[in-house]
């Protein structure tokens, strides 16, 4: 019997809330948890960042979703390799590896595990073709 190699430990480095009502979510978490939002402007648009702890960043994104949901970002050493491995394990890729201002990300989903984003910060060469 052949065994699939196990992935190295990959920490959750970012947690993002997708919601249809950003102002209400922002107010709720500021009051409930003391999270202070910070608007970040990028060439791709604006983003509401929140500090969740010493080693965990976060954000709130307003988008068309049937109900609010949290999307954890797991740091990986190779965005293409992690995305391909998830696909091999049965995941559907919702977002192919894509470059952003601070790094590369992809999003996968499984019926049993939900959605998960992979994150590779800039400073490491990505393992995807056509990305620089």
């Amino acid at each position: 019997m052949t065994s699939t190699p196990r992935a190295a430990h990959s920490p959750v480095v970012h947690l993002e809330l997708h919601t249809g009502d950003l102002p209400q979510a922002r107010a709720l978490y500021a009051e409930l948890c003391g999270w202070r939002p910070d608007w970040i402007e990028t060439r791709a648009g604006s983003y509401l960042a929140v500090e969740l702890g010493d080693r965990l960043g976060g954000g709130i994104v307003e988008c068309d979703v049937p109900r609010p949901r949290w999307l954890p970002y797991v740091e990986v050493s190779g965005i293409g390799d992690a995305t391909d491995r998830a696909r091999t394990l049965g995941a559907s890729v919702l977002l192919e590896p894509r470059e952003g201002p601070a790094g590369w990300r992809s999003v996968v989903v499984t019926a049993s595990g939900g959605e998960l984003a992979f994150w590779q910060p800039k400073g490491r060469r990505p393992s995807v073709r056509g990305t620089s």
Side-chain angles (χ1 to χ4, degrees):
M1 178 159 96
T2 305
S3 171
T4 304
R6 299 186 98 197
H9 174 73
S10 301
V12 173
V13 294
H14 189 81
L15 192 58
E16 195 169 80
L17 175 64
H18 293 201
T19 179
D21 190 344
L22 187 140
Q24 187 173 0
R26 174 186 176 181
L28 170 70
Y29 286 107
E31 185 68 28
L32 185 64
C33 302
W35 296 348
R36 298 294 167 230
D38 183 25
W39 280 106
I40 296 175
E41 296 293 331
T42 70
R43 59 190 154 121
S46 60
Y47 183 78
L48 184 62
V50 292
E51 284 297 320
L52 303 178
D54 291 340
R55 300 180 67 148
L56 183 63
I60 302 174
V61 176
E62 189 167 43
C63 54
D64 186 24
V65 291
R67 65 179 186 79
R69 68 176 179 261
W70 288 98
L71 177 64
Y73 280 66
V74 174
E75 186 172 327
V76 296
S77 60
I79 193 76
D81 293 341
T83 306
D84 288 344
R85 179 163 167 70
R87 193 183 335 256
T88 299
L89 294 171
S92 296
V93 177
L94 299 179
L95 179 69
E96 291 288 345
R98 180 169 80 181
E99 184 178 5
W104 292 265
R105 70 181 175 127
S106 66
V107 179
V108 300
V109 63
T110 67
S112 61
E115 290 184 20
L116 180 68
F118 293 119
W119 172 252
Q120 181 181 337
K122 288 200 173 172
R124 293 188 210 152
R125 185 170 173 85
S127 61
V128 293
R129 287 183 293 198
T131 309
S132 54

